[in-house]
Amino acid sequence: MAQLTMIQAITDALRCELKDDENVLVFGEDVGVNGGVFRATEGLQKEFGEDRVFDTPLAESGIGGLTIGLALQGFRPVPEIQFFGFIYEVMDSVSGQLARMRYRTGGALGAPVTIRSPFGGGVHTPEMHSDSLEGLMASQPGLKVVVPSTPYDAKGLLISSIRDNDPVVFLEHLKLYRSFREEVPEESYTIPLGKADVKREGTDLSIFAYGAMVHESLKAAELLEKEEYSVEVVDLRTIQPLDIETIIASVEKTGRAVVVQEAQKQAGIAANVVAEITERAILSLEAPVLRVAAPDTIYPFPQAEAVWLPNAKDIVETAKKVLTF
Amino acid sequence: MASQKSKQFDPVANLHEIEEKFEMFQILNEEGEIVNADADPKLSDAELVELMSRMVFTRILDQRSISLNRQGRLGFYAPTAGQEASQIASHYALEKEDYILPGYRDVPQIVWHGLPLYKAFLFSRGHFIGNQIPEDVNVLPPQIIIGAQYIQTAGVALGMQKRGKKSVAVTYTGDGGSSQGDFYEGINFAGAFRSPAIFIVQNNQFAISTPRELQTAAKTIAQKGIAAGIPSILVDGMDPLAVFVATRDARQRAVNGEGPSLIETMCYRYGPHTMAGDDPTRYRTSDTDSQWEKKDPIVRFRKYLEAKGLWSEEKEAEVIEKAKEEIKAAVKEADAAPKQKVTELIRNMNDGDLPYNLQEQYEIFKEKESK
Ligand SMILES: Cc1ncc(C[n+]2csc(CCOP(=O)(O)OP(=O)(O)O)c2C)c(N)n1
Ligand SMILES: [Mg+2]
């Protein structure tokens, strides 16, 4: 086993799948010789050739349409959208076409596609490079949406996504790419989609989070532990579909919940998690379920993002409101 | 029955014929000699010196911006060296009433169009004051989404036309940008409405790492204008005079009511794609770099002006000194900008009263920011 960063684990997953299935194709802007602007595809073109790993012209809508066409020819495309803010360019292909393929053909045609894309804030990018737009995807029936928070999960979830016979949007948080390393097995392994991970057990409060906010939530749980609160942290990992079973079991145990997302309060998926909890477990609740999210502005200018982004302190503050209700 | 002998239309030959016609337009060669006297714009001595001074200023601005970025005193920055003729000489053919829709690399043109330099620095640093464009400056903040400005240009141009203005909308993108649907839609819309627009593609040979050949099977980007039914030209983008003339003529046609034009300028960016970790050695050779450096726009223009007795080492040193002073003053002014607050960003979300959610969040951040 090797100590890998999340970006290395992603490259590793792509390598495993390129090796394992000759129908897997990896393509996008600058993914070939350059190995991707974040080096997610580093060395893959060299290893598997230009036929399997290739650069496209600069057009996200083109990449989307190409993806669908290749899927129709029996391939298993893994396109990269260079930054998820550019998803607007390809919304019709993703939401209007890809998500509907199986449905509108009465199950005759599927689309085994995995769209990979970096997203998320805190690294001072220019506009449209940091937005958390996962809510747009999660609200589109027909798409699965996966957001790993660790190198180990990233590899297992990406392999599962690629093997899934339906379209998956796989979102990689920019800040997590190189923020830490962990043991990642060299061989291929899968982590089932739609399964959350209880990162830390607790009895007083459940915190649900995904992406970079998992780590802020873990920090918050530690701070709260110092004040004698026992906090459970659940990494949702797949945000569409949600792992309702794990979410509800946790709430039934703790009776209190906070949902954390980096997206603006009006975006993301926190509202959905809150709705599911209140619909299914209202009688277990000792307090209202609250959200920690960014304010409802456009993603901020880099100079202000540190204040704008939710952090452990904000989570502690909201958690205390719920704990002392 | 139609005669078997009647000549068949040959689409392959037709394509080659059209492509062959897109020869690169040049006036000043690499040695600084006029090679196309008929096309010489015959700029006055003062105008020639001004154009040279602007290009030198812009080269210095690029060097300073790169070092400021390395010191952590500037944010997002896309280097411009090598593209001075494409950027500055095209801008030199414009008038103040013309409207510019720039891409992220096109900061020099909007600065020369009137955007105060300190605002350009604030844009780079990620401060909204950088994007607060003064009322009398006809530019948009640099576009980050590749190609978006192209269709907007068709809109600005149509608006000018409806208002009866004698001005043009001018936009810039790169070779990569010409692959976006927005590019085709932009030139097509402007063509369909015969609007006063100029579409400039700075073909610097790469889109980040992706070489021009991978963008399109077309031999030139200029020829794409043919499909939109608009005049188009391939220009030596390292030749300030050729770029100037191509833009001046496109502008003249536009204000005369003859519709939009497409200009492809062949150029090169010497630096990395941006200062955020791009490594050009991964995708291009130093051989190619030095071939292009021989075509340098400033070098050839210097030779041309020196031969005319219009330029000297002292004159250049003077321009450089002045540039450095202006840049220093602008950095100081940018440093003095107040720290940006989330409450201001919330306030800037809409005109009029804030809805309940933003009002609530405004109060929360007001409290946070008062600490
Ligand atoms: C819609 C969109 N897709 C991708 C990007 C990321 N990106 C930024 S610059 C660039 C290459 C652009 O190349 P080109 O148009 O040739 O302009 P140049 O940078 O060479 O001036 C890419 C892919 C973006 N900003 N917007
Ligand atoms: Mg380019």
Side-chain angles (χ1 to χ4, degrees), chain A residues 29-30 58 60 82 86 89 129, chain B residues 83 104-105 144-146 173-177 180 204 206-208 269 273:
Chain A
E29 295 159 8
D30 306 291
L58 200 174
E60 289 74 16
Q82 198 166 73
F86 313 154
E89 301 282 315
H129 287 61
Chain B
Q83 299 189 207
Y104 48 86
R105 205 181 298 286
I144 296 295
I145 291 302
I146 298 196
T173 188
D175 40 309
Q180 286 281 25
N204 62 8
F206 288 90
I208 308 186
R269 82 168 136 76
H273 169 66

Side-chain angles (χ1 to χ4, degrees), chain A residues 258-259 269-279 285 289-291:
Chain A
V258 168
V259 188
I269 59 130
N272 198 21
V273 177
V274 176
E276 293 289 357
I277 293 171
T278 53
E279 281 182 10
L285 290 174
V289 183
L290 297 187
R291 287 175 284 169

